[in-house]
């Protein structure tokens, strides 16, 4: 920019200020010359009036001298002659003698006075009046000519002064008009153009061009402004391009983040059996503008993919090499013999779930957003598959635990009842062999009672085993259970669920549901009441309290409840929750079952 400005300055050598200063100096000089000329002329004409006055008085006094001589007034004549000669010696006449036009006339007047009129006045005869009159007339003529010439010269000086003033006025007008034209041409118009340019530039029009001719400062300013506008327009264009590039990059980043968000939500919220990676990889291929990308999913022990997924627009065939031994690693990698293919293993911990193969990746750098996006997708897919594995494992553990519970409950209830029936059958066989028929009827009655009890236990166990946790959680499962019990009886159930914020593990929820269900079923079968209340609350010490109570006859009138096999099952489940189970009469009437335990969420092992 500095070099360019110096180059611009070198081409503009003129200066509008020189023209303006020159015009002002000319006008001032002309005014000064006019003033000095006027002063000089007025100085020259300053004595003309006195000279005319004195010259005119000489003419009048010459007549006075003649009159005094004729009247013979010698004293007055002598005094007048002395006065006349004093006027002839006046310094003004001495100065006027330097004028070539006045000097001869003055010499003629002085010579005639000294040689003719003065002697005649002093010595001439009084009778010679004609001669005296002639001499006086001649002196008056000489004086008149001198006065006329002085008047002519004074008038010439006035005319010269007037001419000088008129010439100065005309020249001043010309110089003023030229200066105004110069200011309009070199200052006013360029300033108006520069002002308009500044306004246009202020409005953002950086392509505006100032067209100023000349080589002065304003032309230099216009050229500098043009150069500045070109530089700003270039910088503005570069900034616009950078803004567009940044905007496009932000849009791509936004699309990538939106894609990742949708992908993560889909992977985390969708069950494994309903996962659709096809739509995800269609969007991924469109986003990174690559078609040849493939997802291969493998089991932990397998060496071949059980599923391969490619974008719908990809016309390339699936990987022909079904052996995935070369596709495993601890991170994204490129094989030496396949420099255009990048592999992204689906790793989570030490578990490898497969690989994402990106072909044609040579156009992407290792730190490009496309590579990072594919790596993020690989991490999310691996995380989703790991979460589904953990869920499957949790379900397997829960299933095994429930099978253990079922086996224990079958052993403690139905198996014991069947053993008791088997003993009674053995007794009946013995009486048959010994032909003690009178002992058979009590045994048969006990068999019927035992079969009825076994059948009732079987139905209760089947109902308990069919109870399951619905997808909405423990509260919805409890409401479903209450609805079923209300349909089977005339009791009214009231639920107070206040532990929505407590994170319960699946086993804790199942145990709570089974205990609440068993206690509620006891209310239906044994309480003879009309209402049952089920409440789940959280105490100040972070203990969960399950309370099931009724408005029936209470435990004191039905002690056989305590020996029922359902009580044993609830006690067993309370032990697994590391809690305490209390079964007692309620102070307000009826019975109540209360379970108190401290939840440990998903950290408890059962």
């Amino acid at each position: 920019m500095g070099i360019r400005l110096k180059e611009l300055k070198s081409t503009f050598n003129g200066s509008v200020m020189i023209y303006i200063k020159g015009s002002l100096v000319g006008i001032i000089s002309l005014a000064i010359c006019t003033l000095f000329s006027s002063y000089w002329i007025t100085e020259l004409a300053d004595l003309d009036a006195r000279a005319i006055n004195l010259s005119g008085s000489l003419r009048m006094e010459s007549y006075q001298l003649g009159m005094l001589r004729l009247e013979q007034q010698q004293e007055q004549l002598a005094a007048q002659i002395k006065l006349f000669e004093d006027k002839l010696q006046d310094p003004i006449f001495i100065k006027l003698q330097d004028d070539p036009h006045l000097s001869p006339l003055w010499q003629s007047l002085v010579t005639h006075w000294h040689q003719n009129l003065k002697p005649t006045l002093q010595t001439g005869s009084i009778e010679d009046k004609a001669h005296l009159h002639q001499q006086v007339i001649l002196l008056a003529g000489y004086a008149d000519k001198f006065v006329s010439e002085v008047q002519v010269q004074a008038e010439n000086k006035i005319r010269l002064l007037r001419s000088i003033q008129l010439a100065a006025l005309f020249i001043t007008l010309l110089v003023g008009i030229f200066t105004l034209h110069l200011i309009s041409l070199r200052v006013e118009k360029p300033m108006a153009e520069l002002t308009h340019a500044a306004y246009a530039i202020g409005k953002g029009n950086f392509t505006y061009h100032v067209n100023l001719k000349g080589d002065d400062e304003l032309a230099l300013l216009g050229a500098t402004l043009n150069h500045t506008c070109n530089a700003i327009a270039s910088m503005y264009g570069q900034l616009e391009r950078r803004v567009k590039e940044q905007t496009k990059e932000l849009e791509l980043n936004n699309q990538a983040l939106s894609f990742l968000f949708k992908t993560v939500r889909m992977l985390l919220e969708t069950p494994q059996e309903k996962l659709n990676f096809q739509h995800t990889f269609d969007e991924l291929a469109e986003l990174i503008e690559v078609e040849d990308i493939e997802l291969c999913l493998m089991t932990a022990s397998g060496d071949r993919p059980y599923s391969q997924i490619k974008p719908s627009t990809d016309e390339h065939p699936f990987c022909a090499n079904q052996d995935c031994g070369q596709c495993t690693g601890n991170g994204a990698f490129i094989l030496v013999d396949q420099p255009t293919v990048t592999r992204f293993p689906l790793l989570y911990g030490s578990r490898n779930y497969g690989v994402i193969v990106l072909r044609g990746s040579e156009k992407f750098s290792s730190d490009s957003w496309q590579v990072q996006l594919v790596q993020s997708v690989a991490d999310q897919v691996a995380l989703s598959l790991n979460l589904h594995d953990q869920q499957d494992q949790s379900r397997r553990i829960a299933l095994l635990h429930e099978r253990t519970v079922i086996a224990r409950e079958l052993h403690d209830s139905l198996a014991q009842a069947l053993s008791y029936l088997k003993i009674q059958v053995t007794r009946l066989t013995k009486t048959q062999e010994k032909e003690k028929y009178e002992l058979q009827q009590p045994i048969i009655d006990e068999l019927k009672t035992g079969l009825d009890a076994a059948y009732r236990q079987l139905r209760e166990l089947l109902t308990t085993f069919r109870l399951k946790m619905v997808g909405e959680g423990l509260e919805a499962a409890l409401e479903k259970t209450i609805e079923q019990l209300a349909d089977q009886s005339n009791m009214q159930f009231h639920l107070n669920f206040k532990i929505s914020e407590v994170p319960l593990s699946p086993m804790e929820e199942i145990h709570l549901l089974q205990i609440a269900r068993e206690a509620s079923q006891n209310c239906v079968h044994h309480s003879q009441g009309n209402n049952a209340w089920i409440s789940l609350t959280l105490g100040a010490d972070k203990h969960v309290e399950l309370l099931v109570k009724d408005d029936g006859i209470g435990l004191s009138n039905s002690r056989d409840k305590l020996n029922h096999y359902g009580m044993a099952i609830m006690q067993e489940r309370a032990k697994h929750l590391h809690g305490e189970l209390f079964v007692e009469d309620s102070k307000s009437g009826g019975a109540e079952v209360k379970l108190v335990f401290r939840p440990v969420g998903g950290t408890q092992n059962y």
Side-chain angles (χ1 to χ4, degrees):
M1 186 68 182
I3 298 176
R4 178 58 178 166
L5 185 59
K6 292 180 180 179
E7 294 177 356
L8 285 175
K9 286 184 177 180
S10 64
T11 59
F12 293 89
N13 299 319
S15 175
V16 68
M17 295 307 298
I18 293 178
Y19 304 135
I20 296 175
K21 289 178 181 179
S23 300
L24 293 176
V25 169
I27 293 174
I28 294 172
S29 300
L30 180 61
I32 292 174
C33 291
T34 303
L35 290 175
F36 276 106
S37 300
S38 300
Y39 178 78
W40 176 66
I41 293 174
T42 54
E43 183 67 21
L44 293 177
D46 185 39
L47 302 176
D48 291 345
R50 179 176 173 77
I52 293 173
N53 185 30
L54 289 176
S55 301
S57 66
L58 290 176
R59 184 175 54 183
M60 182 187 66
E61 290 178 358
S62 63
Y63 288 111
Q64 291 178 350
L65 289 170
M67 291 297 294
L68 292 174
R69 178 68 181 88
L70 291 175
E71 293 178 356
Q72 294 294 317
Q73 297 179 8
Q74 296 298 327
E75 293 179 2
Q76 294 180 356
L77 179 62
Q80 190 66 31
I81 290 173
K82 185 176 182 308
L83 180 61
F84 190 84
E85 287 185 342
D86 290 340
K87 288 184 178 181
L88 291 179
Q89 298 300 323
D90 193 283
I92 191 173
F93 292 122
I94 297 175
K95 291 181 179 181
L96 291 177
Q97 293 179 19
D98 296 334
D99 192 299
H101 295 90
L102 295 177
S103 180
L105 296 176
W106 177 257
Q107 291 298 329
S108 299
L109 188 148
V110 173
T111 301
H112 181 73
W113 163 257
H114 287 290
Q115 293 180 2
N116 297 315
L117 182 56
K118 182 178 179 182
T120 303
L121 292 174
Q122 292 176 347
T123 59
S125 174
I126 191 169
E127 288 81 7
D128 192 3
K129 295 180 179 181
H131 179 71
L132 177 61
H133 182 265
Q134 183 180 5
Q135 295 299 322
V136 170
I137 293 297
L138 288 174
L139 182 63
Y142 287 131
D144 185 62
K145 289 180 180 179
F146 183 77
V147 170
S148 298
E149 186 62 28
V150 171
Q151 180 181 354
V152 169
Q153 289 193 0
E155 292 175 351
N156 290 336
K157 292 176 182 178
I158 296 300
R159 283 193 293 270
L160 177 61
L161 178 61
R162 188 181 298 114
S163 298
I164 292 174
Q165 290 178 344
L166 289 175
L169 176 62
F170 180 74
I171 294 173
T172 302
L173 289 175
L174 290 179
V175 174
I177 293 172
F178 173 75
T179 303
L180 291 176
H181 175 72
L182 180 65
I183 292 175
S184 175
L185 182 64
R186 295 297 182 90
V187 178
E188 183 180 359
K189 291 182 179 180
M191 289 298 293
E193 178 70 16
L194 291 172
T195 303
H196 183 70
Y199 178 79
I201 295 171
K203 291 293 184 179
N205 183 13
F206 299 114
T207 60
Y208 189 87
H209 184 74
V210 180
N211 187 15
L212 293 180
K213 298 180 180 180
D215 58 351
D216 52 23
E217 295 91 340
L218 295 179
L220 174 61
L221 180 59
T224 305
L225 191 62
N226 290 336
H227 177 71
T228 304
C229 287
N230 293 333
I232 294 176
S234 177
M235 294 174 60
Y236 188 76
Q238 294 177 0
L239 288 176
E240 281 189 337
R241 287 192 297 271
R242 291 182 61 185
V243 168
K244 289 181 180 179
E245 293 174 357
Q246 293 292 331
T247 302
K248 184 177 180 181
E249 184 177 352
L250 288 175
E251 289 177 352
L252 290 175
N253 291 336
N254 184 47
Q255 293 176 3
L257 289 174
S258 177
F259 168 76
L260 279 177
F261 175 75
K262 291 190 298 183
T263 300
V264 170
R265 185 172 63 180
M266 184 271 293
L267 294 176
L268 295 180
E269 294 180 355
T270 306
Q272 184 177 11
E273 61 273 8
K274 295 183 180 180
L275 284 177
N276 182 13
F277 293 107
Q278 184 64 55
H279 180 69
T280 300
F281 272 76
D282 286 340
E283 289 188 2
L284 179 61
E286 181 180 359
L287 187 60
I288 65 175
E289 298 180 353
V290 170
E291 293 183 354
D292 197 358
I293 182 172
E294 182 178 352
L295 170 65
C296 297
L297 298 178
M298 298 182 297
T299 62
S301 59
D303 57 357
R304 293 184 180 182
Y306 64 85
S307 177
Q308 289 179 289
I309 298 172
K310 293 176 67 67
S312 302
T313 57
D314 189 0
E315 298 179 355
H316 298 84
F318 286 103
C319 180
N321 183 14
Q322 295 294 322
D323 185 5
C324 296
Q326 292 184 341
C327 296
T328 59
N330 296 324
F333 63 94
I334 299 175
L335 296 177
V336 177
D337 56 342
Q338 293 179 328
T340 62
V341 180
T342 303
R343 293 169 172 82
F344 301 86
L346 306 180
L347 294 174
Y348 191 87
S350 60
R351 179 72 181 272
N352 191 327
Y353 293 93
V355 66
I356 295 178
V357 182
L358 177 63
R359 298 178 179 87
S361 60
E362 70 279 359
K363 62 181 180 180
F364 304 132
S365 61
S366 59
D367 58 346
S368 65
W369 67 269
Q370 291 91 343
V371 173
Q372 294 177 1
L373 180 60
V374 176
Q375 182 63 59
S376 298
V377 172
D379 294 339
Q380 295 303 324
V381 171
L383 175 61
S384 173
L385 294 175
N386 181 264
L387 289 176
H388 287 300
D389 283 352
Q390 292 182 3
Q391 292 174 0
D392 291 341
Q393 186 67 18
S394 297
R395 284 193 289 268
R396 292 190 189 99
I397 293 174
L399 181 60
L400 290 175
H401 182 74
E402 280 300 302
R403 287 180 177 178
T404 302
V405 173
I406 290 172
R408 183 173 60 250
E409 292 180 354
L410 286 175
H411 177 269
D412 294 342
S413 59
L414 190 58
Q416 292 180 1
L418 291 177
S419 298
Y420 174 76
L421 291 176
K422 184 178 180 181
I423 293 172
Q424 298 302 322
V425 171
T426 302
R427 289 180 59 197
L428 184 61
T429 303
K430 294 293 184 179
T431 59
Q432 182 68 27
E433 291 176 355
K434 296 179 178 180
E435 296 180 357
K436 294 181 179 181
Y437 300 107
E438 68 279 3
L439 299 177
Q440 291 182 351
Q441 188 60 42
I443 297 175
I444 292 174
D445 293 337
E446 290 184 6
L447 283 173
K448 290 181 179 181
T449 302
L451 285 173
D452 290 339
Y455 181 70
R456 181 171 55 82
Q457 292 175 6
L458 178 61
R459 284 187 304 169
E460 291 179 354
L461 287 175
L462 289 176
T463 303
T464 302
F465 297 155
R466 287 171 181 170
L467 187 64
K468 63 180 180 179
M469 187 70 61
V470 296
E472 291 81 359
L474 177 60
E475 184 177 7
L478 286 171
E479 291 176 351
K480 184 68 174 177
T481 300
I482 290 173
E483 181 181 350
Q484 292 175 356
L485 293 175
D487 293 339
Q488 298 172 6
S489 67
N490 296 323
M491 293 191 70
Q492 298 292 326
F493 288 87
H494 310 279
L495 176 63
N496 181 26
F497 192 88
K498 297 294 184 181
I499 59 170
S500 301
E501 71 280 1
V502 179
L504 299 174
S505 69
M507 284 294 97
E508 290 172 341
E509 290 181 345
I510 290 175
H511 286 313
L512 282 174
L513 178 62
Q514 294 286 13
I515 293 174
R517 196 263 176 197
E518 184 64 33
S520 300
Q521 195 170 24
N522 286 338
C523 293
V524 172
H525 292 160
H526 308 288
S527 69
Q528 302 178 20
N530 297 318
N531 294 279
W533 292 270
I534 304 173
S535 66
L536 277 165
T537 58
L538 183 65
D541 55 354
K542 303 300 182 181
H543 282 77
V544 172
E545 179 180 300
L546 169 64
L547 179 64
V548 180
K549 68 176 183 176
D550 56 62
D551 57 356
I553 61 177
L555 295 177
S556 58
N557 298 319
S558 183
R559 300 304 300 177
D560 58 318
K561 295 181 186 178
L562 294 177
N563 299 321
H564 196 273
Y565 76 97
M567 290 297 177
I569 294 175
M570 288 192 291
Q571 292 288 356
E572 185 69 20
R573 290 187 180 277
K575 290 181 180 179
H576 283 286
L577 291 174
H578 300 282
E580 295 184 74
L581 184 70
F582 304 94
V583 182
E584 57 191 1
D585 286 326
S586 176
K587 295 180 180 180
S588 59
E592 66 179 24
V593 176
K594 182 167 68 173
L595 169 67
V596 179
F597 78 101
R598 186 180 183 89
V600 292
T603 62
Q604 179 67 40
N605 294 321
Y606 296 95

